[in-house]
Amino acid sequence: MDKLKLYTNSNFQALRGQGDLLADEAVKSLVAKPEWIEIINSWEEIPEEIPEIFDSSVQKYFNFFNSSTDHYDLEVLKKGQLFFEKKGDSYLGMLGFYSLPYCYAFADGAEVLVRSNRIVNQIGERLGETAVFLMDIFAPGAFYEDKKAILTCAKVRLIHAFSRYFVEAYAKDWDPKFGKPVNQEDMLGTNLAFSYIVLRGLIKMGRRIDREESEAILAYWKWIGYLIGLETKNWPNTAREAIEVDRLIRKRQLRASTAGQQLIQALITYYKKSIPEPLLTERVEDILYFFLGKEASDALGIVPKNQLEGGILGLIFQYSGWKSYGGKKSYASIRRMMEQQQKEQFGKVMKIQLPARNRP
């Protein structure tokens, strides 16, 4: 079947009503048994034998991840990790200056994000956790040698399910027209922002990304999507398919919203206070406008002071990377720098943790 036939307004509208049954059932049990959350947060990796104290829904959830290692493609994993080894600093830069702001421009999805006080009021910690997620899933040997990445994906999937649970249970201002919180269309769009949109940002700055690299990253994020609850039948395998998915979601969801504008202003304020490179902090709005383009920037209320050229911006990012790593850039050096910055800013290295709940 031609995958492009799936990319229709009616199909994607149906996706807005779909969540993630496996994770949603597990979260119901975890809400009722908050002590189980403490056990999970204490793990370094998912145990081969899931503790019998958990009920069937939680055991079924983690057994999915223990059996997932039968389904990975070793070549896909190695290609994706090699790409990150070479371009990891730029990848993280695109995440902060393009991927996340791009998500904020999609109005209905932004309604979930803005209801998390941590994203608005503790944005540094939230960004730090997102960076840890990226570093975990792209670690050399992740999934086939280092099983920590599997636990990371399991936790992220549950965090999404917690968001669905608490918005639906307690957000009295939630409008059904927004769709189910963290629904399949929004998850698809977010996965696309963390993969295809990153590649598009690199190309905008003049970096060469060939077809093999593009398809390798899309294949990598298909695997990540499978782990975190995405219906992968809708996932694009080629750049052409990615373009069509992005075009459809933009048409359906990109519009101005108070939620999106609140999120982007919190992000801009944080960047201006925390990024140590003046070449970047003095041009935050200009950089965001360059990557997002006029339509998304207008939706977010971003007004640039100056127009930037891709080649110049590419040099700024390269210079920033050279200042940080010199000629010794690698996954290890990027992770070391990230952890050092987090210790200086937060007094600790951020971790992906399930939200602690008080016992009833």
Side-chain angles (χ1 to χ4, degrees):
M1 177 182 178
D2 183 357
K3 183 158 287 197
L4 295 176
K5 293 180 180 179
L6 295 173
Y7 304 152
T8 67
N9 191 61
S10 60
N11 284 346
F12 274 51
Q13 187 59 33
L15 293 180
R16 295 208 67 74
Q18 298 176 22
D20 173 7
L21 184 61
L22 182 66
D24 291 340
E25 289 299 310
V27 159
K28 290 177 185 177
S29 297
L30 293 175
V31 169
K33 295 283 188 179
E35 63 270 24
W36 293 355
I37 296 175
E38 296 177 20
I39 294 172
I40 296 166
N41 280 337
S42 72
W43 291 347
E44 292 299 322
E45 60 182 54
I46 299 173
E48 292 183 7
E49 296 293 331
I50 306 303
E52 292 184 0
I53 189 176
F54 295 151
D55 69 9
S56 59
S57 66
V58 177
Q59 290 197 26
K60 182 179 180 181
Y61 180 78
F62 285 108
N63 279 328
F64 163 83
F65 289 92
N66 277 340
S67 64
S68 67
T69 51
D70 298 332
H71 303 288
Y72 67 72
D73 184 320
L74 184 59
E75 184 178 2
V76 165
L77 296 182
K78 287 186 173 181
K79 284 183 177 179
Q81 290 161 20
L82 178 61
F83 183 91
F84 195 87
E85 178 81 21
K86 294 178 178 178
K87 299 182 173 70
D89 61 330
S90 297
Y91 205 114
L92 291 172
M94 291 304 95
L95 184 75
F97 279 101
Y98 195 1
S99 302
L100 292 174
Y102 194 63
C103 292
Y104 297 166
F106 295 89
D108 289 349
E111 294 293 343
V112 178
L113 298 174
V114 82
R115 282 167 172 77
S116 169
N117 288 331
R118 292 195 67 227
I119 294 179
V120 178
N121 299 323
Q122 295 178 289
I123 192 166
E125 290 91 334
R126 185 64 184 86
L127 290 172
E129 291 165 356
T130 303
V132 169
F133 169 64
L134 262 289
M135 297 303 294
D136 282 357
I137 66 171
F138 277 114
F143 303 108
Y144 62 94
E145 290 179 349
D146 181 0
K147 301 301 176 63
K148 178 182 178 181
I150 299 175
L151 176 59
T152 294
C153 289
K155 286 181 175 180
V156 167
R157 185 171 180 176
L158 285 175
I159 289 168
H160 291 165
F162 273 112
S163 294
R164 276 190 295 274
Y165 179 90
F166 286 109
V167 168
E168 290 183 325
Y170 299 110
K172 299 188 186 321
D173 60 345
W174 184 258
D175 191 329
K177 74 178 183 181
F178 299 148
K180 181 177 281 290
V182 198
N183 59 66
Q184 284 291 326
E185 183 182 33
D186 289 342
M187 285 194 282
L188 179 59
T190 301
N191 245 37
L192 201 67
F194 280 43
S195 54
Y196 167 68
I197 296 302
V198 167
L199 300 179
R200 190 161 74 185
L202 294 175
I203 292 170
K204 278 175 171 275
M205 291 194 301
R207 308 285 175 83
R208 183 178 179 273
I209 306 294
D210 61 32
R211 177 179 175 180
E212 183 178 2
E213 289 177 315
S214 175
E215 293 186 357
I217 290 299
L218 288 174
Y220 203 91
W221 280 92
K222 183 177 183 179
W223 164 249
I224 301 300
Y226 167 74
L227 291 177
I228 64 175
L230 182 69
E231 290 188 4
T232 55
K233 69 178 182 180
N234 301 303
W235 184 251
N237 297 319
T238 66
R240 182 193 173 202
E241 291 171 354
I243 290 169
E244 292 304 318
V245 175
D246 177 57
R247 180 177 292 144
L248 177 59
I249 296 177
R250 283 179 67 99
K251 183 178 179 180
R252 287 174 46 79
Q253 299 296 331
L254 198 158
R255 61 182 180 275
S257 69
T258 301
Q261 292 172 6
Q262 184 178 352
L263 290 164
I264 198 65
Q265 286 306 312
L267 187 69
I268 290 172
T269 299
Y270 174 74
Y271 282 167
K272 289 184 175 181
K273 290 181 178 179
S274 64
I275 294 178
E277 177 52 67
L279 287 172
L280 297 176
T281 55
E282 293 172 0
R283 299 168 175 81
V284 171
E285 289 91 348
D286 298 341
I287 295 171
L288 291 171
Y289 188 90
F290 170 82
F291 286 121
L292 293 170
K294 186 178 188 309
E295 184 182 14
S297 295
D298 287 350
L300 293 172
I302 296 171
V303 179
K305 299 175 183 176
N306 302 287
Q307 296 289 331
L308 293 177
E309 295 182 5
I312 298 298
L313 186 55
L315 289 174
I316 292 174
F317 272 86
Q318 284 183 335
Y319 173 70
S320 179
W322 177 82
K323 282 179 65 177
S324 298
Y325 308 107
K328 299 180 180 180
K329 183 176 68 175
S330 64
Y331 174 89
S333 64
I334 295 169
R335 179 131 208 168
R336 195 161 48 244
M337 176 67 72
M338 179 198 74
E339 292 180 351
Q340 177 185 331
Q341 290 174 343
Q342 289 184 355
K343 287 178 182 178
E344 292 174 354
Q345 188 169 3
F346 311 120
K348 62 181 178 179
V349 176
M350 305 305 298
K351 296 177 65 177
I352 307 294
Q353 295 285 68
L354 302 183
R357 307 299 306 165
N358 293 326
R359 290 182 176 86

